[in-house]
Amino acid sequence: MNFSPLLKVVARYGLIAGIMGFGLLLGLYYMGRHPFLIEIFFDFRIFLLGIFIFFALKEFREDHQDGVLYFWQGLIGSFVLTAVFGAVAAFLIYVFGSFNSEFVQTYSAQMADRLSQLPAELVEQIGKEEVERNLKGIHATTIGDLAVTYLVQSFIISFFISIILSVVLRRQPKP
């Protein structure tokens, strides 16, 4: 099996998605919503990755495979697209945060504020020591930590989307 067309298609889509993802992240930041404080199930990456994985796999299936896409091709393509997306976005986040120290400072301040305002019942469930440890450690967060977090979260989000879209778009050759 020649992987070249699959890798070329999904890498191109991943690169575009990574740049767009970083642009959306900047937009949220400059609108006053720190993107790292948004709950993961409300994250724009769900839609962004879903759309880009769908169109990348569809293009590969229709333009390079004569309408055939195996489940494993969908998973590999989705993984590569997510890896390119995450690497590009994480790199751009790292560069941006290196030149704009306020990005990490804003995150640390808002996260510390959020942790200090947790309801007493939740603090009891988590453990007071754990909450205090997180409050003390939040100011040691670096831009590298945020970039790696973005990359890891991208893979978590993409995992379920990849399985669903690989099943939906797969087509077996007709005998």
PDB file of all heavy atoms in Angstrom, residues 37 105-119 131 134-135 138-139:
ATOM      1  N   LEU A  37      -8.978  28.068  29.453  1.00  0.00           N
ATOM      2  CA  LEU A  37      -9.929  27.986  30.566  1.00  0.00           C
ATOM      3  C   LEU A  37     -11.322  27.599  30.105  1.00  0.00           C
ATOM      4  O   LEU A  37     -12.252  27.574  30.900  1.00  0.00           O
ATOM      5  CB  LEU A  37      -9.963  29.320  31.319  1.00  0.00           C
ATOM      6  CG  LEU A  37      -8.647  29.691  31.995  1.00  0.00           C
ATOM      7  CD1 LEU A  37      -8.729  31.072  32.612  1.00  0.00           C
ATOM      8  CD2 LEU A  37      -8.263  28.649  33.038  1.00  0.00           C
ATOM      9  N   GLN A 105       0.634  34.631  32.133  1.00  0.00           N
ATOM     10  CA  GLN A 105       0.266  35.317  33.374  1.00  0.00           C
ATOM     11  C   GLN A 105      -1.243  35.417  33.520  1.00  0.00           C
ATOM     12  O   GLN A 105      -1.789  35.218  34.602  1.00  0.00           O
ATOM     13  CB  GLN A 105       0.904  36.707  33.426  1.00  0.00           C
ATOM     14  CG  GLN A 105       2.404  36.676  33.559  1.00  0.00           C
ATOM     15  CD  GLN A 105       3.034  38.044  33.349  1.00  0.00           C
ATOM     16  OE1 GLN A 105       2.360  39.021  33.028  1.00  0.00           O
ATOM     17  NE2 GLN A 105       4.349  38.109  33.519  1.00  0.00           N
ATOM     18  N   THR A 106      -1.931  35.722  32.428  1.00  0.00           N
ATOM     19  CA  THR A 106      -3.392  35.802  32.446  1.00  0.00           C
ATOM     20  C   THR A 106      -3.989  34.440  32.772  1.00  0.00           C
ATOM     21  O   THR A 106      -4.913  34.339  33.582  1.00  0.00           O
ATOM     22  CB  THR A 106      -3.925  36.291  31.079  1.00  0.00           C
ATOM     23  OG1 THR A 106      -3.327  37.542  30.771  1.00  0.00           O
ATOM     24  CG2 THR A 106      -5.432  36.438  31.084  1.00  0.00           C
ATOM     25  N   TYR A 107      -3.452  33.404  32.149  1.00  0.00           N
ATOM     26  CA  TYR A 107      -3.934  32.047  32.433  1.00  0.00           C
ATOM     27  C   TYR A 107      -3.751  31.714  33.910  1.00  0.00           C
ATOM     28  O   TYR A 107      -4.670  31.230  34.566  1.00  0.00           O
ATOM     29  CB  TYR A 107      -3.191  31.022  31.570  1.00  0.00           C
ATOM     30  CG  TYR A 107      -3.422  29.609  32.021  1.00  0.00           C
ATOM     31  CD1 TYR A 107      -4.609  28.947  31.732  1.00  0.00           C
ATOM     32  CD2 TYR A 107      -2.465  28.933  32.782  1.00  0.00           C
ATOM     33  CE1 TYR A 107      -4.839  27.654  32.168  1.00  0.00           C
ATOM     34  CE2 TYR A 107      -2.683  27.641  33.210  1.00  0.00           C
ATOM     35  CZ  TYR A 107      -3.868  27.010  32.912  1.00  0.00           C
ATOM     36  OH  TYR A 107      -4.095  25.732  33.353  1.00  0.00           O
ATOM     37  N   SER A 108      -2.548  31.961  34.430  1.00  0.00           N
ATOM     38  CA  SER A 108      -2.259  31.633  35.828  1.00  0.00           C
ATOM     39  C   SER A 108      -3.176  32.390  36.783  1.00  0.00           C
ATOM     40  O   SER A 108      -3.714  31.806  37.725  1.00  0.00           O
ATOM     41  CB  SER A 108      -0.799  31.957  36.157  1.00  0.00           C
ATOM     42  OG  SER A 108       0.069  31.166  35.391  1.00  0.00           O
ATOM     43  N   ALA A 109      -3.362  33.668  36.537  1.00  0.00           N
ATOM     44  CA  ALA A 109      -4.209  34.479  37.419  1.00  0.00           C
ATOM     45  C   ALA A 109      -5.667  34.021  37.371  1.00  0.00           C
ATOM     46  O   ALA A 109      -6.317  33.863  38.405  1.00  0.00           O
ATOM     47  CB  ALA A 109      -4.103  35.954  37.039  1.00  0.00           C
ATOM     48  N   GLN A 110      -6.181  33.793  36.159  1.00  0.00           N
ATOM     49  CA  GLN A 110      -7.580  33.387  36.040  1.00  0.00           C
ATOM     50  C   GLN A 110      -7.806  31.972  36.576  1.00  0.00           C
ATOM     51  O   GLN A 110      -8.839  31.689  37.168  1.00  0.00           O
ATOM     52  CB  GLN A 110      -8.041  33.492  34.584  1.00  0.00           C
ATOM     53  CG  GLN A 110      -8.179  34.920  34.117  1.00  0.00           C
ATOM     54  CD  GLN A 110      -8.619  35.022  32.654  1.00  0.00           C
ATOM     55  OE1 GLN A 110      -8.913  34.024  32.008  1.00  0.00           O
ATOM     56  NE2 GLN A 110      -8.661  36.245  32.147  1.00  0.00           N
ATOM     57  N   MET A 111      -6.841  31.077  36.388  1.00  0.00           N
ATOM     58  CA  MET A 111      -6.973  29.716  36.908  1.00  0.00           C
ATOM     59  C   MET A 111      -6.893  29.725  38.436  1.00  0.00           C
ATOM     60  O   MET A 111      -7.650  29.021  39.104  1.00  0.00           O
ATOM     61  CB  MET A 111      -5.903  28.806  36.322  1.00  0.00           C
ATOM     62  CG  MET A 111      -6.013  27.375  36.823  1.00  0.00           C
ATOM     63  SD  MET A 111      -7.612  26.609  36.501  1.00  0.00           S
ATOM     64  CE  MET A 111      -7.250  25.739  35.014  1.00  0.00           C
ATOM     65  N   ALA A 112      -6.002  30.513  38.985  1.00  0.00           N
ATOM     66  CA  ALA A 112      -5.900  30.627  40.445  1.00  0.00           C
ATOM     67  C   ALA A 112      -7.197  31.182  41.026  1.00  0.00           C
ATOM     68  O   ALA A 112      -7.692  30.703  42.056  1.00  0.00           O
ATOM     69  CB  ALA A 112      -4.716  31.513  40.828  1.00  0.00           C
ATOM     70  N   ASP A 113      -7.757  32.170  40.346  1.00  0.00           N
ATOM     71  CA  ASP A 113      -9.031  32.747  40.784  1.00  0.00           C
ATOM     72  C   ASP A 113     -10.144  31.704  40.722  1.00  0.00           C
ATOM     73  O   ASP A 113     -10.946  31.573  41.647  1.00  0.00           O
ATOM     74  CB  ASP A 113      -9.374  33.956  39.906  1.00  0.00           C
ATOM     75  CG  ASP A 113     -10.593  34.700  40.404  1.00  0.00           C
ATOM     76  OD1 ASP A 113     -10.662  34.988  41.624  1.00  0.00           O
ATOM     77  OD2 ASP A 113     -11.481  34.986  39.571  1.00  0.00           O
ATOM     78  N   ARG A 114     -10.159  30.937  39.658  1.00  0.00           N
ATOM     79  CA  ARG A 114     -11.175  29.890  39.492  1.00  0.00           C
ATOM     80  C   ARG A 114     -11.033  28.815  40.578  1.00  0.00           C
ATOM     81  O   ARG A 114     -12.024  28.359  41.146  1.00  0.00           O
ATOM     82  CB  ARG A 114     -11.048  29.267  38.109  1.00  0.00           C
ATOM     83  CG  ARG A 114     -12.124  28.260  37.799  1.00  0.00           C
ATOM     84  CD  ARG A 114     -11.958  27.673  36.426  1.00  0.00           C
ATOM     85  NE  ARG A 114     -12.509  28.564  35.424  1.00  0.00           N
ATOM     86  CZ  ARG A 114     -12.670  28.237  34.155  1.00  0.00           C
ATOM     87  NH1 ARG A 114     -12.289  27.044  33.726  1.00  0.00           N
ATOM     88  NH2 ARG A 114     -13.186  29.079  33.303  1.00  0.00           N
ATOM     89  N   LEU A 115      -9.794  28.412  40.861  1.00  0.00           N
ATOM     90  CA  LEU A 115      -9.562  27.390  41.890  1.00  0.00           C
ATOM     91  C   LEU A 115      -9.918  27.893  43.281  1.00  0.00           C
ATOM     92  O   LEU A 115     -10.441  27.135  44.102  1.00  0.00           O
ATOM     93  CB  LEU A 115      -8.107  26.922  41.874  1.00  0.00           C
ATOM     94  CG  LEU A 115      -7.687  26.030  40.717  1.00  0.00           C
ATOM     95  CD1 LEU A 115      -6.176  25.796  40.739  1.00  0.00           C
ATOM     96  CD2 LEU A 115      -8.430  24.705  40.774  1.00  0.00           C
ATOM     97  N   SER A 116      -9.645  29.158  43.550  1.00  0.00           N
ATOM     98  CA  SER A 116      -9.942  29.704  44.886  1.00  0.00           C
ATOM     99  C   SER A 116     -11.436  29.901  45.107  1.00  0.00           C
ATOM    100  O   SER A 116     -11.880  30.021  46.248  1.00  0.00           O
ATOM    101  CB  SER A 116      -9.187  31.013  45.106  1.00  0.00           C
ATOM    102  OG  SER A 116      -9.650  32.005  44.216  1.00  0.00           O
ATOM    103  N   GLN A 117     -12.223  29.916  44.048  1.00  0.00           N
ATOM    104  CA  GLN A 117     -13.664  30.119  44.170  1.00  0.00           C
ATOM    105  C   GLN A 117     -14.465  28.821  44.045  1.00  0.00           C
ATOM    106  O   GLN A 117     -15.677  28.869  43.880  1.00  0.00           O
ATOM    107  CB  GLN A 117     -14.144  31.112  43.116  1.00  0.00           C
ATOM    108  CG  GLN A 117     -13.608  32.505  43.323  1.00  0.00           C
ATOM    109  CD  GLN A 117     -14.101  33.471  42.253  1.00  0.00           C
ATOM    110  OE1 GLN A 117     -14.898  33.122  41.397  1.00  0.00           O
ATOM    111  NE2 GLN A 117     -13.599  34.694  42.309  1.00  0.00           N
ATOM    112  N   LEU A 118     -13.792  27.680  44.143  1.00  0.00           N
ATOM    113  CA  LEU A 118     -14.506  26.405  44.067  1.00  0.00           C
ATOM    114  C   LEU A 118     -15.457  26.262  45.252  1.00  0.00           C
ATOM    115  O   LEU A 118     -15.115  26.663  46.369  1.00  0.00           O
ATOM    116  CB  LEU A 118     -13.511  25.234  44.070  1.00  0.00           C
ATOM    117  CG  LEU A 118     -12.707  25.008  42.808  1.00  0.00           C
ATOM    118  CD1 LEU A 118     -11.681  23.894  43.035  1.00  0.00           C
ATOM    119  CD2 LEU A 118     -13.602  24.660  41.642  1.00  0.00           C
ATOM    120  N   PRO A 119     -16.641  25.710  45.043  1.00  0.00           N
ATOM    121  CA  PRO A 119     -17.575  25.489  46.148  1.00  0.00           C
ATOM    122  C   PRO A 119     -16.976  24.549  47.199  1.00  0.00           C
ATOM    123  O   PRO A 119     -16.184  23.649  46.866  1.00  0.00           O
ATOM    124  CB  PRO A 119     -18.792  24.845  45.486  1.00  0.00           C
ATOM    125  CG  PRO A 119     -18.645  25.089  44.024  1.00  0.00           C
ATOM    126  CD  PRO A 119     -17.201  25.295  43.761  1.00  0.00           C
ATOM    127  N   VAL A 131      -6.257  20.894  46.260  1.00  0.00           N
ATOM    128  CA  VAL A 131      -6.608  22.219  45.738  1.00  0.00           C
ATOM    129  C   VAL A 131      -5.520  23.225  46.106  1.00  0.00           C
ATOM    130  O   VAL A 131      -5.100  24.034  45.270  1.00  0.00           O
ATOM    131  CB  VAL A 131      -7.992  22.669  46.260  1.00  0.00           C
ATOM    132  CG1 VAL A 131      -8.277  24.120  45.872  1.00  0.00           C
ATOM    133  CG2 VAL A 131      -9.085  21.753  45.733  1.00  0.00           C
ATOM    134  N   ASN A 134      -2.460  22.654  43.958  1.00  0.00           N
ATOM    135  CA  ASN A 134      -2.667  23.195  42.608  1.00  0.00           C
ATOM    136  C   ASN A 134      -2.597  24.717  42.598  1.00  0.00           C
ATOM    137  O   ASN A 134      -2.074  25.308  41.652  1.00  0.00           O
ATOM    138  CB  ASN A 134      -4.002  22.728  42.039  1.00  0.00           C
ATOM    139  CG  ASN A 134      -3.953  21.287  41.589  1.00  0.00           C
ATOM    140  OD1 ASN A 134      -2.913  20.785  41.225  1.00  0.00           O
ATOM    141  ND2 ASN A 134      -5.090  20.616  41.632  1.00  0.00           N
ATOM    142  N   LEU A 135      -3.144  25.348  43.628  1.00  0.00           N
ATOM    143  CA  LEU A 135      -3.077  26.812  43.715  1.00  0.00           C
ATOM    144  C   LEU A 135      -1.634  27.291  43.804  1.00  0.00           C
ATOM    145  O   LEU A 135      -1.263  28.289  43.179  1.00  0.00           O
ATOM    146  CB  LEU A 135      -3.858  27.307  44.933  1.00  0.00           C
ATOM    147  CG  LEU A 135      -5.312  27.653  44.701  1.00  0.00           C
ATOM    148  CD1 LEU A 135      -6.041  27.883  46.014  1.00  0.00           C
ATOM    149  CD2 LEU A 135      -5.458  28.859  43.807  1.00  0.00           C
ATOM    150  N   ILE A 138       0.196  26.604  40.287  1.00  0.00           N
ATOM    151  CA  ILE A 138      -0.327  27.210  39.060  1.00  0.00           C
ATOM    152  C   ILE A 138       0.576  28.337  38.547  1.00  0.00           C
ATOM    153  O   ILE A 138       0.688  28.554  37.343  1.00  0.00           O
ATOM    154  CB  ILE A 138      -1.780  27.704  39.238  1.00  0.00           C
ATOM    155  CG1 ILE A 138      -2.437  27.953  37.884  1.00  0.00           C
ATOM    156  CG2 ILE A 138      -1.842  28.966  40.066  1.00  0.00           C
ATOM    157  CD1 ILE A 138      -2.748  26.720  37.134  1.00  0.00           C
ATOM    158  N   HIS A 139       1.264  29.015  39.444  1.00  0.00           N
ATOM    159  CA  HIS A 139       2.110  30.128  39.018  1.00  0.00           C
ATOM    160  C   HIS A 139       3.440  29.663  38.418  1.00  0.00           C
ATOM    161  O   HIS A 139       4.177  30.464  37.856  1.00  0.00           O
ATOM    162  CB  HIS A 139       2.339  31.102  40.173  1.00  0.00           C
ATOM    163  CG  HIS A 139       1.065  31.773  40.599  1.00  0.00           C
ATOM    164  ND1 HIS A 139       0.390  32.668  39.803  1.00  0.00           N
ATOM    165  CD2 HIS A 139       0.309  31.628  41.712  1.00  0.00           C
ATOM    166  CE1 HIS A 139      -0.709  33.076  40.407  1.00  0.00           C
ATOM    167  NE2 HIS A 139      -0.790  32.445  41.569  1.00  0.00           N
TER     168      HIS A 139
END
